[in-house]
Amino acid sequence: MNFCSVCGAKVALRIPAGDHLPRHVCEACGTIHYSNPKMVVGAIPEWEDQILLCRRAIEPRHGKWTLPAGFMENDETTAEAAARETAEEACARIEVGDLYSLINVAHISQVHMLYRARLLDLDFAPGEESLEVRLFREEEIPWDELAFRSVAMTLRFYFEDRRERRFRFHVADIRTPSHIAAS
Amino acid sequence: MNFCSVCGAKVALRIPAGDHLPRHVCEACGTIHYSNPKMVVGAIPEWEDQILLCRRAIEPRHGKWTLPAGFMENDETTAEAAARETAEEACARIEVGDLYSLINVAHISQVHMLYRARLLDLDFAPGEESLEVRLFREEEIPWDELAFRSVAMTLRFYFEDRRERRFRFHVADIRTPSHIAAS
């Protein structure tokens, strides 16, 4: 951030009075510009013993598989975001169930949330951001070709819970960047 | 938003290619400026059969009571945000427990999350944003003087669960602005 989005003057990075963190502050109009973490919300669409994954047509992780999920928008609820993202990325209709995982990815200032969901029919298709959309049985999951660690973590929780026939809500943290975690 | 925070040129509100919502787009450098919901994270600090509330020294709802909570910052987890806000608003040290409630407040594009927490000692005091901090038994809760509906909702869930001796995770939505809900 270089310029004030309200008045167009230059901003300076400094700690405002009564605050404890540096913020972009406009030297002309005084506006304090805050930057906060974002929510990435999605679904685990279930059809019998299978779940729906999308192969990404966009960066990051073009060509890798993921659960339908994306940045939550203003004026919607987390469950509405999960349904919208599933419609956009997989052209699929779901009944959103319980919130299943909440995963902090603090080093990129994101919180990922995945809902359990019931796929309502088999009329799914790749949306603009997907190359391919298909159902997977547990033994078919492309573990080495998953796009994001939060998705892999959620799917591991999911199949473990399913074996135990008891789904519970999971909160977890991913603490290191993936290029460090992978080394 | 009137100006591009990257280059200082004027922005226009339009739907970018491949998108479905209007965004502030810079006509000069092409940057798309997204606006997303924010997380407000806090704690229910417990001490025996009492919980800690703070009386607000700031707007909105100056003088009203609330659980210690505030906007989540970049580079922290939700649990870290709950502990930090409790330290800032009540000068209190807690051991953060399970995530207890997640409440969508879609008309103001916020998601509120409250954690159960164990107060570690009684050396609490009002922080800069609080007029007063004290412990309340259930029968002492100032229900008509609570600052936010998400706090009232969380406390109702909490005391109901406590009576049933079974705390579970609650997800709920607050759908209407409070001036409509109150009328």
Side-chain angles (χ1 to χ4, degrees), chain A residues 18, chain B residues 54-58 69-70 85 88-89 126-131:
Chain B
C54 307
R55 200 154 73 86
R56 288 173 65 81
I58 52 170
E85 288 291 342
E88 285 175 20
E89 298 187 355
E128 278 194 21
E129 298 182 0
S130 303
L131 296 168

Side-chain angles (χ1 to χ4, degrees), chain A residues 2 5-6 23 36 73 78, chain B residues 2 5-6 23 72-73 104:
Chain A
N2 305 306
S5 55
V6 176
R23 315 282 181 186
N36 299 91
E73 300 281 5
T78 45
Chain B
N2 305 307
S5 55
V6 176
R23 316 283 180 183
M72 185 175 171
E73 300 281 5
N104 282 283

Side-chain angles (χ1 to χ4, degrees), chain B residues 105-170:
Chain B
V105 197
H107 62 279
I108 52 168
S109 297
Q110 291 183 359
V111 176
H112 294 190
M113 298 183 210
L114 280 308
Y115 277 83
R116 288 187 66 200
R118 194 169 64 85
L119 195 57
L120 294 177
D121 57 63
L122 293 174
D123 297 332
F124 53 78
E128 278 194 21
E129 298 182 0
S130 303
L131 296 168
E132 194 180 345
V133 177
R134 55 161 282 208
L135 291 167
F136 289 84
R137 292 204 165 75
E138 182 178 359
E139 60 273 19
E140 297 169 331
I141 298 286
W143 294 104
D144 295 335
E145 295 294 315
L146 294 178
F148 304 108
R149 284 182 292 162
S150 60
V151 168
M153 195 178 259
T154 296
L155 291 178
R156 260 181 255 118
F157 290 146
Y158 178 85
F159 290 114
E160 198 173 302
D161 281 1
R162 197 172 74 174
R163 271 191 296 279
E164 292 176 13
R165 292 165 204 272
R166 194 189 63 119
F167 286 96
R168 60 185 186 87
F169 174 56
H170 297 262

